[in-house]
Amino acid sequence: MSQHSFDNEELDGYIKIDKYNTEKVDRIAAHYTDILECLGEDPKREGLVKTPERVAKALQFLTHGYDIDAAEVLRGAMFEEEYSQMVVVKDIEVYSLCEHHMLPFFGKAHIAYIPNGHIVGLSKIPRVVDIFARRLQVQERLTNEIRDCIQETLGARGVAVVMECKHMCMAMRGVQKQNSVTTTSAFTGAFQNDVTRSEFLRLITADLA
């Protein structure tokens, strides 16, 4: 049977709980001990003794989205409401791992939906982003998964997702272009209309302060 350890950290009134499967930690850590040796390092030296365990826990945290049902999270905060205009949540921070090199990519997501009888608690939109981002990903699929989850769960009249990210597999290796940004977008329903889509794009680029 799997065992879990818990690290609790209180931050701004919220308690963050990290759960680790100790069996998986041990298995992953053993592989990273071999990896360190293959890289020419000494895994027994002081600075690296606990590195395999730390990496194993970090990887579990960075991929914990596999264990969470994003649609269930949305359904847990759905409310009947006659509001039928655009709801926009922009500048949502995104942190994920590219599945090709397991290097980070990060940036922002901008999301809108037009309700069709139901709205959802605003905090659940960024939560959905996190759930899908905390998996091995490509940005294109991540964009579509967020769109589809919101559309199918809320039955919205339309959903729009735009994501802007920097990829470390481009900045640290390969072409080594440190300032390049990748933009992806996905639309359903009403946002396939040019006028509605243009309004969304104007809102996410406007400074309303």
Side-chain angles (χ1 to χ4, degrees):
M1 181 178 294
S2 298
Q3 296 178 337
H4 295 83
S5 61
F6 298 84
D7 294 330
N8 295 349
E9 178 184 348
E10 188 167 353
L11 181 65
D12 294 333
Y14 293 90
I15 296 178
K16 177 181 131 183
I17 301 177
D18 294 337
K19 300 180 180 180
Y20 301 109
N21 182 307
T22 54
E23 179 183 352
K24 290 183 180 180
V25 167
D26 291 342
R27 289 178 59 192
I28 296 171
H31 288 296
Y32 268 90
T33 298
D34 291 339
I35 290 171
L36 288 172
E37 290 179 344
C38 289
L39 294 175
E41 269 289 0
D42 176 10
K44 295 181 181 179
R45 72 176 175 86
E46 183 180 16
L48 294 177
V49 169
K50 293 187 177 181
T51 295
E53 179 183 350
R54 293 189 186 104
V55 173
K57 288 184 175 180
L59 286 174
Q60 280 200 39
F61 176 76
L62 294 173
T63 59
H64 73 263
Y66 290 115
D67 299 323
I68 307 174
D69 185 338
E72 183 178 350
V73 169
L74 284 179
R75 286 193 294 267
M78 286 177 59
F79 310 97
E80 290 188 10
E81 186 62 53
E82 292 305 313
Y83 187 81
S84 59
Q85 302 302 310
M86 193 182 304
V87 178
V88 181
V89 183
K90 68 177 187 176
D91 295 332
I92 302 168
E93 294 182 358
V94 177
Y95 300 96
S96 192
L97 286 178
C98 170
E99 67 180 29
H100 299 146
H101 302 97
M102 289 184 67
L103 289 173
F105 67 92
F106 59 92
K108 293 181 179 180
H110 314 287
I111 299 173
Y113 74 97
I114 299 176
N116 187 21
H118 289 87
I119 61 171
V120 68
L122 293 178
S123 67
K124 303 307 177 185
I125 300 295
R127 182 75 173 123
V128 168
V129 173
D130 281 344
I131 290 169
F132 288 114
R134 296 304 187 183
R135 305 176 184 186
L136 299 183
Q137 281 287 10
V138 295
Q139 184 176 331
E140 296 88 342
R141 182 172 68 242
L142 175 58
T143 305
N144 284 341
E145 286 178 338
I146 294 167
R147 175 202 63 187
D148 293 345
C149 179
I150 297 171
Q151 175 63 56
E152 294 168 8
T153 306
L154 298 184
R157 291 172 53 210
V159 174
V161 180
V162 169
M163 190 170 296
E164 305 167 288
C165 292
K166 290 188 175 183
H167 291 249
M168 290 299 97
C169 58
M170 291 180 64
M172 296 177 65
R173 60 169 302 285
V175 295
Q176 299 182 54
K177 300 301 181 185
Q178 287 80 10
N179 296 315
S180 61
V181 176
T182 299
T183 302
T184 50
S185 62
F187 305 98
T188 66
F191 288 98
Q192 294 176 325
N193 177 281
D194 289 342
V195 174
T196 307
R197 185 167 60 248
S198 295
E199 180 184 353
F200 165 68
L201 295 174
R202 178 181 59 80
L203 288 172
I204 66 174
T205 56
D207 185 0
L208 301 180

